[in-house]
Amino acid sequence: MSNLRLLNSSSGTGVSTLSVTDVFTDDFDIYKIKITCASGLEQETNLQFINSGGSVLTSDYEHAQLYMRGYSAFSEVVSSSDSDIRLVTGDEDSFGGSAIIYVFNPRNSSAYTFVAFNGSLAIDLADNNTPSFASNRGIGVLKQTNVINGFRLANNNASATVDYTAITYGLRVD
């Protein structure tokens, strides 16, 4: 029997955000989320959590990641006080992007909610439909002890719409 249990599959076409609510339960402490995105314009996809009251939490995030470009030097993306966990993936010119996000302890009201993620995305550097690639590896934390029921993916480009898919699994540790 698999340790991964499919809990939810959600998608949105031509949207700026995708909210997945009531997906975290007391049955699991660890969750795996697989996301894919595609957009005709350059965009970054950021992650926020939704509390048990249905509110999107917009403060108290810390994150750090190594952003590894195939076309130039690597860089770090770091914040100790942010409104989201930035750049879990992204996309440009509909080449596509994806990420695997692990979420730890979202339902534990006496612990912070942590994430670890790996992402990849295609970037059109010369605007000639020839992609270059980047990947990232990061960690993040929501520095609140809320009961978290879900998450929201949001792009950072107000002009862009995105096609999102998010598949959520519970990871059973016996």
Side-chain angles (χ1 to χ4, degrees), residues 29-108:
D29 293 326
I30 303 170
Y31 296 83
K32 178 181 179 179
I33 305 167
K34 177 183 175 188
I35 65 170
T36 59
C37 65
S39 176
L41 297 173
E42 181 177 346
Q43 63 89 20
E44 295 177 0
T45 294
N46 304 323
L47 174 71
Q48 295 174 311
F49 288 112
I50 300 170
N51 68 15
S52 59
S55 298
V56 175
L57 301 173
T58 59
S59 63
D60 297 324
Y61 293 93
E62 284 189 18
H63 56 85
Q65 67 176 271
L66 181 60
Y67 187 61
M68 300 166 280
R69 298 174 183 90
Y71 53 89
S72 69
F74 293 3
S75 64
E76 294 178 354
V77 178
V78 178
S79 177
S80 61
S81 178
D82 215 332
S83 60
D84 52 28
I85 295 173
R86 185 174 161 229
L87 188 58
V88 292
T89 190
D91 179 44
E92 184 177 345
D93 291 344
S94 299
F95 291 126
S98 64
I100 300 292
I101 305 166
Y102 287 94
V103 179
F104 303 89
N105 300 318
R107 300 279 303 167
N108 187 339

Side-chain angles (χ1 to χ4, degrees), residues 104-165:
F104 303 89
N105 300 318
R107 300 279 303 167
N108 187 339
S109 62
S110 61
Y112 290 161
T113 299
F114 287 86
V115 300
F117 59 93
N118 298 303
S120 63
L121 59 145
I123 298 169
D124 187 5
L125 291 178
D127 291 326
N128 62 4
N129 288 324
T130 302
S132 186
F133 298 95
S135 64
N136 58 348
R137 179 175 212 120
I139 57 173
V141 61
L142 172 63
K143 299 180 300 181
Q144 297 179 19
T145 54
N146 286 313
V147 173
I148 305 300
N149 281 0
F151 62 93
R152 181 173 92 151
L153 303 173
N155 86 62
N156 72 334
N157 182 346
S159 300
T161 59
V162 184
D163 297 342
Y164 281 121
T165 300

